[in-house]
């Protein structure tokens, strides 16, 4: 009997939410140094022996899909395109069967560098969707923000994803006050013209130490107001568990241009509908981006735990998932890991 023919245990937390969406970080390393995510000098990278092998990643994803009811898997990092075995991992995950029948959905969050070279193999392996992070179309500003002069490679990656049919290609932009607010409209126009779905993300306290200031954060409402100076925005229903609130975008003359979203994690948190569970590159289970604790799955995995034992560990840990991220709580403290090490 395959695991998938058994009823799944499900990943339910104490607040009644059920997780079906797994984020897997495949590496904490990156070829950029976005200022909101990593310090200029990089970080102390995870030791190689602690990083899950491709086989270990697939085994834990299999436990999540076939025993715990996960039906969507998103690979992230760090920069997931730096993981040599990425296509093989995706292909193996697409061999799994969810409790709804059929393979899990597989998506990738990437900075886009090298995507043009890899996209055919990733698509052939079963990749369905891609989110590309892009914070400016101005080469100097991009280079200053990402601390690397690589904008043309990102744009080539985006075009390649679109040409490969990974539609809709989504673009993620973190807006920072005094840094790239001027990029909001050019990015909107660039993405609307090409059929990419752009989503503006509020900056969260997950970057280098002391790098976040709530008052300096650009709230989604401000981004929407900026867009409304040029477009008509009609709210689209159906946010569900998705973090993005989406808008249909029309020109002043009423012509439909496409779709834009905002991810207002700070000012309009979506924790109440969260359906996520997370696995770091070194095999630590996290119930939330902002969790202060992790559950080690790597040690039991390497010590001979059965699939069922791993699933029960995961289930027990998930029960403790906090009701919300607590950014506004007086005692809020950001997690020790930064976004690149957790997996955004
Ligand atoms: N390297 C890949 C990329 O940049 O898309 C994947 C990992 S990155 C950590 C995933 C997403 O997290 C990116 O869209 C990035 O913009 C976002 N991100 C990183 N730090 C953030 C922060 N402090 N607040 C909000 N979003 C952040
Ligand atoms: Fe790298 Fe992504 Fe973090 Fe930028 S946001 S430094 S691309 S992990």
């Amino acid at each position: 009997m395959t695991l998938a023919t058994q009823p799944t245990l499900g990943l339910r937390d104490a607040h009644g939410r059920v997780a079906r969406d797994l984020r897997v970080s495949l590496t904490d390393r990156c070829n950029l140094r976005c200022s909101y995510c990593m310090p200029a000098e990089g970080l102390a990278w995870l030791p190689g022996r602690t990083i899950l092998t491709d086989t270990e990643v697939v085994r834990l994803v299999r436990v999540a899909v076939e025993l715990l009811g996960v039906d969507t898997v998103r690979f992230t990092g760090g920069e997931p395109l730096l993981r040599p075995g990425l296509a093989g991992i995706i292909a193996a995950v697409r061999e799994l069967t969810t409790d709804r029948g059929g393979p899990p959905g597989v998506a990738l969050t990437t900075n886009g560098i090298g995507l043009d070279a890899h996209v055919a193999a990733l698509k052939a392996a079963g990749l369905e969707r891609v989110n590309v992070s892009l914070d400016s179309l101005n080469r100097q500003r991009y280079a200053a923000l990402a601390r690397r002069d690589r904008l043309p490679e990102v744009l080539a990656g985006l075009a390649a994803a679109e040409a490969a049919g990974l539609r809709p290609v989504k673009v993620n932009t973190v807006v920072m006050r005094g840094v790239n607010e001027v990029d909001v409209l050019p990015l909107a126009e660039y993405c609307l013209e090409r059929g990419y779905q752009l989503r503006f993300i509020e900056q969260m306290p997950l970057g280098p130490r002391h790098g976040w200031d709530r008052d300096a954060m650009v709230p989604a409402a401000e981004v929407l107001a900026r867009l409304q100076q040029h477009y008509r925005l009609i709210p689209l229903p159906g946010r569900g568990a998705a973090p993005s609130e989406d808008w249909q975008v029309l020109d002043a003359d009423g012509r439909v241009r496409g779709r834009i979203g905002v991810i207002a994690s700070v000012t309009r948190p979506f924790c109440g509908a969260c359906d996520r569970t997370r696995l770091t590159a070194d095999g630590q289970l996290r119930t939330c981006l902002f969790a202060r604790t992790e559950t080690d799955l790597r040690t039991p995995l390497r010590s001979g735990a059965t699939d069922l034992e791993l699933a029960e560990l995961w289930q027990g840990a998930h029960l403790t998932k906090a009701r919300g991220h607590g950014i506004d709580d007086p005692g809020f403290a950001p997690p020790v890991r930064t976004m690149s090490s957790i997996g955004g």
Side-chain angles (χ1 to χ4, degrees):
M1 183 161 64
T2 69
L3 288 174
T5 59
Q6 302 170 22
T8 62
L9 303 171
L11 267 184
R12 190 173 293 277
D13 67 38
H15 308 286
R17 297 164 299 188
V18 177
R20 295 186 72 92
D21 182 353
L22 170 62
R23 304 278 152 128
V24 182
S25 173
L26 291 176
T27 175
D28 59 328
R29 294 177 187 239
C30 191
N31 39 13
L32 297 183
R33 295 286 182 275
C34 304
S35 58
Y36 51 75
C37 180
M38 266 205 217
E41 65 280 12
L43 294 161
W45 308 123
L46 295 168
R49 66 179 184 286
T50 69
I51 304 285
L52 298 181
T53 64
D54 294 359
T55 308
E56 289 171 334
V57 169
V58 173
R59 171 142 182 239
L60 288 179
V61 175
R62 182 164 58 85
V63 166
V65 169
E66 299 199 334
L67 285 179
L68 293 170
V70 160
D71 62 12
T72 310
V73 183
R74 176 174 291 278
F75 293 106
T76 179
E79 178 42 50
L81 290 176
L82 297 181
R83 177 96 183 200
L86 177 60
I89 292 172
I90 290 174
V93 168
R94 291 287 287 174
E95 293 286 312
L96 303 174
T97 305
T98 71
D99 58 1
R100 292 175 173 160
V106 175
L108 184 71
T109 299
T110 169
N111 63 28
I113 295 169
L115 187 56
D116 52 347
H118 292 288
V119 75
L122 298 177
K123 177 100 194 294
L127 180 68
E128 296 177 305
R129 286 183 304 281
V130 65
N131 289 9
V132 177
S133 303
L134 172 62
D135 300 320
S136 178
L137 286 167
N138 173 284
R139 189 161 175 172
Q140 280 71 39
R141 267 198 304 282
Y142 183 93
L145 217 153
R147 302 194 182 101
R148 301 285 186 274
D149 179 17
R150 306 194 71 168
L151 176 65
E153 293 161 83
V154 180
L155 300 184
L158 269 171
E162 172 70 14
L166 293 178
R167 299 196 187 105
V169 171
K170 293 189 179 172
V171 175
N172 291 343
T173 300
V174 178
V175 188
M176 284 153 289
R177 192 168 303 289
V179 178
N180 64 341
E181 293 152 296
V182 290
D183 290 293
V184 166
L185 286 172
L187 278 165
E189 204 41 41
Y190 186 87
C191 292
L192 289 168
E193 270 173 21
R194 290 162 179 78
Y196 306 157
Q197 274 181 28
L198 175 60
R199 292 109 48 85
F200 292 103
I201 305 177
E202 287 180 346
Q203 187 180 353
M204 295 181 281
L206 286 167
R209 298 297 94 184
H210 314 300
W212 189 79
D213 173 0
R214 199 185 203 295
D215 296 328
M217 186 204 69
V218 181
E222 203 175 308
V223 173
L224 289 171
R226 200 175 268 264
L227 291 169
Q228 275 162 334
Q229 290 169 5
H230 289 260
Y231 306 109
R232 266 178 60 206
L233 301 183
I234 300 175
L236 289 166
R239 183 185 190 185
S244 166
E245 292 171 67
D246 289 345
W247 308 76
Q248 190 178 48
V249 182
L250 286 75
D251 271 344
D253 60 9
R255 187 167 60 103
V256 176
R257 297 292 312 280
R259 190 176 176 129
I260 285 183
V262 292
I263 301 183
S265 326
V266 179
T267 59
R268 290 203 287 263
F270 33 85
C271 305
C274 181
D275 67 346
R276 306 257 159 83
T277 178
R278 297 175 177 274
L279 188 62
T280 64
D282 56 342
Q284 306 301 301
L285 168 62
R286 296 183 64 90
T287 56
C288 172
L289 273 177
F290 291 92
R292 302 277 306 164
T293 57
E294 301 181 337
T295 302
D296 180 18
L297 292 184
R298 185 186 74 242
T299 305
L301 172 77
R302 291 184 176 172
S303 315
T306 64
D307 285 346
L308 195 58
E309 284 166 344
L310 291 168
E312 283 172 352
L313 254 178
W314 203 320
Q315 224 187 2
H318 197 75
L319 268 177
T320 68
K321 183 177 167 95
R323 185 187 291 277
H325 56 42
I327 292 175
D328 285 326
D329 297 351
F332 172 76
V336 176
R337 289 192 197 236
T338 59
M339 187 72 138
S340 58
S341 169
I342 296 170

